[in-house]
Amino acid sequence: MSKPLEGFWIMDVGSGGGILSEPLARLGASVVGLEASEESIKVAQTHLISDSAIRDRIRYVHGTVEEVAESQAGKFDAVVVSEVLEHVSDASLFVTYACKLVRPGGSIFFTTINKTQLAYLLGIVVAEQILHLVPAGTHDWEKFVPPADLQDMLEKNNFVTRLIHGMCYNPLTKRWSWVKDTSVNYALHAVKSPSAEGQEGDIWASQDSTKSPTK
């Protein structure tokens, strides 16, 4: 299997049961899955123990972005924040902490929900109240973040947005697809200025670059 992410260190913020951490590791990345829920980490670690192909490439850490932002500032080639931003109480502060983790020239990726009436209709009324795709009360429309607002937050942290793309979920096939329309779900990729301040060193202060993230 091709491993295009070989040599890259990636943090998966809100890693849950490892749904993104695992495929990233299969593509060759060394992944740190950061998760605030101990139960979710237990689930992810259970998956990992039985998978010898990737278990040395992933380390799951119980904590929050705020707790690790300073000690791990500038140490990741990329940070992935998928379906997390729409749940935080202070999006601007959260984005600032997440941005600290990225090395100069590195990337940050978000997938989240736009703050539109259509997003309210499909993301809350349909998904929660009619189809019951997620438990009622999972989403709060007031916490949804428009792409322009997220771009502004990123610019204040020395990032330049490279791509914004819409995403559409088909409940019949249970598959996501890329679309031009960003009025409901969208993905954003931004790159940190190469001149921004950053720290050097391996993840979690390891002095041995040959070590895996689990050691």
Side-chain angles (χ1 to χ4, degrees):
M1 180 179 178
S2 176
K3 297 186 184 301
L5 299 182
E6 188 79 48
F8 286 88
W9 281 87
I10 299 177
M11 173 169 277
D12 177 15
V13 176
S15 53
I19 192 170
L20 280 180
S21 294
E22 291 184 12
L24 288 171
R26 294 187 196 286
L27 291 173
S30 294
V31 182
V32 175
L34 185 67
E35 173 57 49
S37 167
E38 285 190 271
E39 285 302 313
S40 293
I41 286 183
K42 289 177 182 178
V43 171
Q45 289 176 331
T46 299
H47 291 170
L48 202 57
I49 290 172
S50 60
D51 197 333
S52 60
I54 60 172
R55 64 187 176 204
D56 288 336
R57 290 185 175 274
I58 303 177
R59 173 183 176 180
Y60 289 111
V61 176
H62 179 224
T64 65
V65 166
E66 294 85 347
E67 292 168 346
V68 304
E70 295 302 328
S71 65
Q72 304 308 313
K75 293 185 178 180
F76 291 89
D77 297 293
V79 170
V80 177
V81 187
S82 181
E83 312 306 313
V84 175
L85 189 60
E86 64 270 25
H87 300 292
V88 302
S89 56
D90 189 332
S92 181
L93 185 60
F94 176 87
V95 169
T96 295
Y97 282 123
C99 287
K100 286 180 179 291
L101 296 165
V102 183
R103 66 166 176 78
S107 292
I108 193 165
F109 300 87
F110 289 89
T111 64
T112 190
I113 306 176
N114 201 343
K115 192 173 185 178
T116 63
Q117 292 298 323
L118 183 59
Y120 176 84
L121 176 63
L122 296 180
I124 296 179
V125 176
V126 175
E128 294 185 16
Q129 300 172 10
I130 298 177
L131 297 181
H132 305 292
L133 297 175
V134 294
T138 297
H139 297 111
D140 178 351
W141 187 78
E142 292 299 328
K143 293 181 179 180
F144 292 178
V145 180
D149 288 3
L150 181 53
Q151 281 185 272
D152 184 57
M153 296 174 199
L154 290 165
E155 286 176 6
K156 291 177 180 177
N157 287 281
N158 297 312
F159 278 76
V160 175
T161 298
R162 294 288 180 83
L163 176 70
I164 301 176
H165 219 309
M167 301 163 58
C168 180
Y169 180 73
N170 186 326
L172 298 178
T173 62
K174 298 182 179 180
R175 294 179 66 90
W176 286 92
S177 59
W178 295 114
V179 295
K180 292 183 179 180
D181 186 4
T182 61
S183 61
V184 183
N185 296 87
Y186 67 93
L188 183 150
H189 169 217
V191 175
K192 193 171 191 175
S193 170
S195 61
E197 292 184 2
Q199 297 179 12
E200 300 213 348
D202 212 340
I203 311 306
W204 262 260
S206 170
Q207 297 303 308
D208 184 351
S209 61
T210 66
K211 288 185 177 181
S212 76
T214 59
K215 298 180 180 178

